[in-house]
Amino acid sequence: MPAEERSWEQHSQEHIASWQQPPSWQQAAEAERPRTEAPAEQPAPSWRPADQPVGQPASWEQQPSWEQQRSWEQAPQQQVPSHQVNQQAPQQPAWEPPPGARPWEQQLQAPQPAAPAAQPEPQQQPPAPEPVQQGQWAQQQPAPGGWGSQGSATWTPDQQSGQPQPAGPPPSLTSQSLLRQAAETPTRGWRRFLHKASGGTVNPGLSQAEIEHRALVQRVTTPVRGSNRIAVVSLKGGIGKTTTTCCLGLTLAHHRGDRVVAVDANPDAGTLAERLTNVTDVTVRDLLAATDRIRSFTDVSAFTSLAGRLQVLASDQDPALSEAFSEEEYTTVADILARYFNIILTDSGTGLLHSAMSGTLAIADSLVVVGAPSVDGASRASKTLDWLIAHGHEELVSRSVAVISSVRPNTGDVDMGMVRAHFAARCRAVVEIPYDTHLVTGGLIDLDRVGAPARQAYLELAAHVADGFALPPLTRRPATA
């Protein structure tokens, strides 16, 4: 029929039929396909992309996921037993977050369940829901270095309650872990001047001498458990035994925070109090007369004098007194002082045979044996050690500290190396005190006026004595009748 004689309806049908034809490139591909292959008869869509396989429905022709999930509601008559459902839909392993994921990212990155693929069967039972595993929350932890991971312990679920429990101890909250550690500033010499002049911006650090000094002070401050008794002994007089007791007591009391007392146990009117405080109106005799009234440290301090931070208990100075300081009296005084003082220094009298010396050695925890850099001074100190060993104080001698005190200028005639080697083989440590003009005068001792070499030597002596505070208690041999 000519085109001008066609009706409007025929023109519309022809246009609609042309729209339903496949594209030209697809028609050419169909024409080139071998005729031996019989095309499958299926309702192909009017148009499909080139990468869509022939024979499979296009993505927009597949059954929607929400309809597939509700397919079991449309056919309740075909129910599958529960044991077959478990076989058809095995449990999937728990999802694990990628390394370094944070808690809020774990929720965002959790994989969504994919829509089930179209099955040839028109009806399909939904898979069994995956059971929630207890403790699965423990797998979702922030990786080290993430938010909230610094200084936090690892948390694991409790086996009984299922509540989170820390797997290890929490970090300690101390000044070393919480505060930024500043470099130590020098306190002496040109290093201190440079640090002060620069306003603290330039810190040259500590010198080797200051480092050694701080190490000695740290040893001096070794803690004491209970009370520790130190006896300063010598077989010869006039070699600096009382001076050593005074300077050792002042050094210990200056650097330590506990209570230190020096007791004059010389039965022959000792000079300990005169060298330290020059207060001798109250003595050990007054303390013995008031033993029943002592109930506190305040009661004891009424019978002592103070030299810096050192408490001093003087001996009796009455020359007309015929009764000497006995072993029983010294033991009573030492027991009272042990209740209120941590360190008790005893300046024993000259000689080793008087009664007070027996009481001193019976309860002493350590010894300081004083000698001199001379032939008689060194030999008398060695004889002191021999006498102590002969009377059953071997362990006390092995813990002793030998002091070679120079009460006069050194002439260089004595071989000091041999003297030090002799006492080093018999004692725990040896300290040599140099000659000092302030100490040899015999007057009131002031550590600020003592020369730097002598102060350093007494600090070393205090450090060696304090090292004995960490030793185990003495194993004393029972006294024989």
Side-chain angles (χ1 to χ4, degrees):
M1 183 181 292
E4 61 274 4
E5 296 180 1
R6 296 176 184 174
S7 63
W8 177 84
E9 295 180 356
Q10 293 177 351
H11 280 284
S12 299
Q13 292 178 359
E14 291 177 0
H15 281 289
I16 292 174
S18 63
W19 293 346
Q20 295 179 353
Q21 293 297 328
S24 59
W25 58 269
Q26 188 172 357
Q27 294 179 7
E30 293 292 342
E32 294 178 1
R33 181 176 299 176
R35 298 299 180 181
T36 57
E37 298 179 1
E41 296 182 359
Q42 47 184 310
S46 61
W47 178 87
R48 63 179 61 251
D51 57 351
Q52 180 69 30
V54 179
Q56 295 185 7
S59 60
W60 60 82
E61 296 178 355
Q62 295 180 2
Q63 187 180 4
S65 60
W66 60 273
E67 291 184 359
Q68 295 177 7
Q69 295 178 1
R70 296 188 59 187
S71 62
W72 61 275
E73 297 179 355
Q74 299 175 3
Q77 67 277 5
Q78 296 182 1
Q79 295 183 359
V80 183
S82 60
H83 66 278
Q84 295 182 5
V85 173
N86 295 335
Q87 294 178 1
Q88 295 175 3
Q91 296 182 2
Q92 299 295 331
W95 174 80
E96 296 183 358
R102 295 175 172 82
W104 58 83
E105 296 177 350
Q106 296 171 0
Q107 298 179 2
L108 295 178
Q109 297 178 2
Q112 301 296 334
Q119 301 294 334
E121 294 81 0
Q123 298 178 358
Q124 178 69 24
Q125 293 292 338
E130 182 179 353
V132 179
Q133 300 179 2
Q134 183 178 3
Q136 186 176 351
W137 56 268
Q139 300 176 2
Q140 301 180 358
Q141 296 181 7
W147 178 84
S149 63
Q150 295 182 358
S152 59
T154 304
W155 292 79
T156 55
D158 189 17
Q159 298 296 335
Q160 299 180 357
S161 62
Q163 299 295 328
Q165 299 293 334
S172 59
L173 302 179
T174 60
S175 59
Q176 288 78 10
S177 61
L178 295 178
L179 301 179
R180 181 182 300 173
Q181 301 299 319
E184 296 183 347
T185 58
T187 59
R188 60 176 67 176
W190 65 268
R191 299 171 182 268
R192 177 181 178 273
F193 174 78
L194 179 59
H195 183 265
K196 292 292 184 181
S198 62
T201 58
V202 178
N203 186 3
L206 304 181
S207 62
Q208 185 63 30
E210 192 167 2
I211 293 175
E212 296 176 356
H213 176 81
R214 294 192 178 190
L216 289 175
V217 172
Q218 186 176 3
R219 291 170 55 190
V220 171
T221 57
T222 302
V224 177
R225 301 294 182 262
S227 180
N228 193 280
R229 301 178 179 90
I230 306 167
V232 184
V233 298
S234 177
L235 194 61
K236 177 177 172 54
I239 58 176
K241 176 177 56 62
T242 300
T243 303
T244 301
T245 306
C246 294
C247 294
L248 176 60
L250 290 173
T251 305
L252 289 172
H254 174 73
H255 293 286
R256 299 181 61 88
D258 46 11
R259 296 169 179 173
V260 184
V261 62
V263 183
D264 193 348
N266 195 332
D268 302 325
T271 60
L272 179 70
E274 294 180 358
R275 301 292 306 275
L276 287 173
T277 62
N278 203 20
V279 177
T280 58
D281 53 346
V282 287
T283 64
V284 64
R285 294 289 179 183
D286 300 324
L287 178 62
L288 288 172
T291 53
D292 298 337
R293 302 192 303 270
I294 295 177
R295 297 291 183 271
S296 64
F297 175 75
T298 306
D299 299 335
V300 176
S301 61
F303 302 96
T304 61
S305 54
L306 195 61
R309 300 178 59 180
L310 176 66
Q311 300 282 345
V312 182
L313 181 59
S315 63
D316 198 347
Q317 302 295 311
D318 188 2
L321 187 64
S322 58
E323 184 180 0
F325 193 51
S326 64
E327 176 182 358
E328 183 180 358
E329 291 174 336
Y330 173 78
T331 304
T332 303
V333 171
D335 291 341
I336 295 175
L337 297 178
R339 304 174 194 169
Y340 309 103
F341 293 92
N342 302 97
I343 300 175
I344 302 173
L345 283 170
T346 301
D347 182 20
S348 59
T350 303
L352 301 173
L353 301 178
H354 56 85
S355 179
M357 176 59 70
S358 300
T360 301
L361 297 176
I363 61 176
D365 296 302
S366 61
L367 286 180
V368 176
V369 181
V370 183
S374 59
V375 176
D376 57 346
S379 61
R380 292 297 93 185
S382 181
K383 293 293 183 181
T384 302
L385 299 178
D386 294 338
W387 186 91
L388 292 172
I389 294 174
H391 288 77
H393 301 287
E394 297 90 346
E395 188 176 1
L396 196 59
V397 170
S398 63
R399 297 188 177 193
S400 63
V401 179
V403 176
I404 305 174
S405 179
S406 300
V407 295
R408 59 182 62 89
N410 189 4
T411 60
D413 297 333
V414 180
D415 187 357
M416 295 302 301
M418 183 176 294
V419 174
R420 286 190 296 267
H422 173 82
F423 288 103
R426 308 187 65 179
C427 303
R428 180 166 56 88
V430 180
V431 180
E432 183 177 355
I433 308 297
Y435 174 79
D436 188 83
T437 55
H438 174 69
L439 296 177
V440 298
T441 58
L444 201 64
I445 296 177
D446 185 4
L447 277 183
D448 294 335
R449 299 179 59 184
V450 178
R455 286 202 310 269
Q456 182 69 15
Y458 283 115
L459 182 61
E460 295 178 5
L461 173 60
H464 287 299
V465 171
D467 290 342
F469 298 159
L471 298 177
L474 281 171
T475 304
R476 299 184 182 275
R477 189 173 60 184
T480 57

